[in-house]
Amino acid sequence: MTDGKQRVIFLVDDDRKLRRLVAKFLRDQGFAVQEFQDGSEVVAAVQEDEPAAVILDIMLPGENGLSILRRIRNDSAVPVIMLTAKGDDEDRITGLELGADDYLPKPFNPRELLARINAVLRRSVPPVRPEAGAAADDLTVSCWVLHRKRRSIAVGKEEVELSATEYRLLEALMMHPGMVLSRDELLNYARGKDFGPFDRSIDVHISKLRVKTELLSGGKRCIKTIWGSGYMFEVGA
């Protein structure tokens, strides 16, 4: 473990030579670096001790980087920079849709990687922690009950668990019932950072939320899209 002042970077790449070179460069810049040669352990490591950022290669043996990113995003908003050796846009777009913060094609200059790391860290805002005891309070809007301690949504006796990002999105919407929240406002609240105009991860998470909430409401939609503006939690839903 490093001291509290040193930011930790998780570096996931099966190219041992490249990984060691990048790790040394980042350590010289004041970061602590934990290296992974594949994705078999990084998801659990992120959950146990969330780093400042994750540098994640797409082309990995076994489970690929996009699949690993998807699993990371189920529970964590940690900044993720994807590395790709491919020249087309498909992996980049898919990565952004899944919630990647940036990408860098190989080969790359380590100084550019450092600049991108610093950029995503500047955009990162530590999440606001509730006051002591506040997390145990349920948030109720109409027939909907958001269980903060269990991180779930319920209607009557029916209850569905939420991922960390889904929970924060729904909490933001339910704390402002009947009010339209823009995509940027929701992303800042749910993930603690700003995003570029082409990031579509908000739509992916809203879609998943709708599936879960409609299971509880018999198909009735409580999250309304306000075209060109954002999303709203319908008070009477």
Side-chain angles (χ1 to χ4, degrees):
M1 294 297 293
T2 60
D3 61 63
K5 294 181 180 180
Q6 198 170 26
R7 293 171 298 181
V8 180
I9 303 293
F10 284 2
L11 175 58
V12 190
D13 198 308
D14 63 321
D15 185 332
R16 184 176 181 273
K17 183 177 180 180
L18 174 64
R19 191 177 69 243
R20 292 295 171 86
L21 288 172
V22 172
K24 182 181 185 304
F25 175 80
L26 292 177
R27 290 182 181 118
D28 289 344
Q29 305 304 313
F31 292 99
V33 181
Q34 186 170 341
E35 299 177 44
F36 301 83
Q37 67 178 2
D38 57 45
S40 61
E41 298 178 353
V42 70
V43 176
V46 167
Q47 293 173 344
E48 181 177 346
D49 187 13
E50 188 162 301
V54 176
I55 302 168
L56 178 61
D57 189 19
I58 289 180
M59 301 299 292
L60 292 170
E63 187 177 10
N64 67 35
L66 293 175
S67 176
I68 294 165
L69 173 64
R70 184 182 292 108
R71 293 205 288 132
I72 288 175
R73 279 292 172 257
N74 282 335
D75 296 292
S76 174
V78 62
V80 177
I81 298 174
M82 306 295 295
L83 303 179
T84 176
K86 294 184 177 181
D88 59 36
D89 291 335
E90 189 61 33
D91 284 339
R92 177 178 63 86
I93 294 170
T94 301
L96 292 174
E97 289 176 339
L98 292 174
D101 297 88
D102 204 348
Y103 83 102
L104 190 60
K106 293 181 178 180
F108 57 85
N109 187 318
R111 290 180 59 190
E112 182 176 1
L113 175 61
L114 176 64
R116 291 176 183 268
I117 292 172
N118 286 332
V120 298
L121 293 181
R122 281 194 301 269
R123 296 197 299 264
S124 297
V125 177
V128 177
R129 302 298 181 188
E131 298 296 329
D137 296 334
D138 294 338
L139 175 60
T140 302
V141 178
S142 186
C143 62
W144 301 91
V145 181
L146 185 68
H147 296 294
R148 287 183 162 124
K149 198 168 186 179
R150 296 199 296 272
R151 205 173 67 191
S152 64
I153 183 68
V155 175
K157 296 182 179 180
E158 299 296 322
E159 186 173 350
V160 176
E161 292 184 357
L162 304 171
S163 72
T165 301
E166 291 167 353
Y167 166 78
R168 289 192 289 269
L169 281 172
L170 190 55
E171 182 182 43
L173 289 165
M174 290 181 66
M175 287 179 67
H176 303 87
M179 181 185 299
V180 179
L181 298 181
S182 70
R183 294 173 72 252
D184 286 342
E185 288 171 331
L186 282 171
L187 283 167
N188 287 336
Y189 186 94
R191 306 253 319 264
K193 58 177 80 69
D194 297 320
F195 287 80
F198 299 108
D199 191 317
R200 308 301 297 179
S201 64
I202 180 69
D203 304 314
V204 175
H205 292 295
I206 289 292
S207 177
K208 291 179 180 179
L209 264 179
R210 279 181 171 150
V211 170
K212 291 183 177 182
T213 54
E214 287 173 23
L215 284 174
L216 296 175
S217 64
K220 190 173 182 180
R221 179 166 291 186
C222 64
I223 302 173
K224 185 177 182 180
T225 300
I226 309 299
W227 297 109
S229 298
Y231 298 96
M232 178 180 71
F233 192 87
E234 292 196 279
V235 179

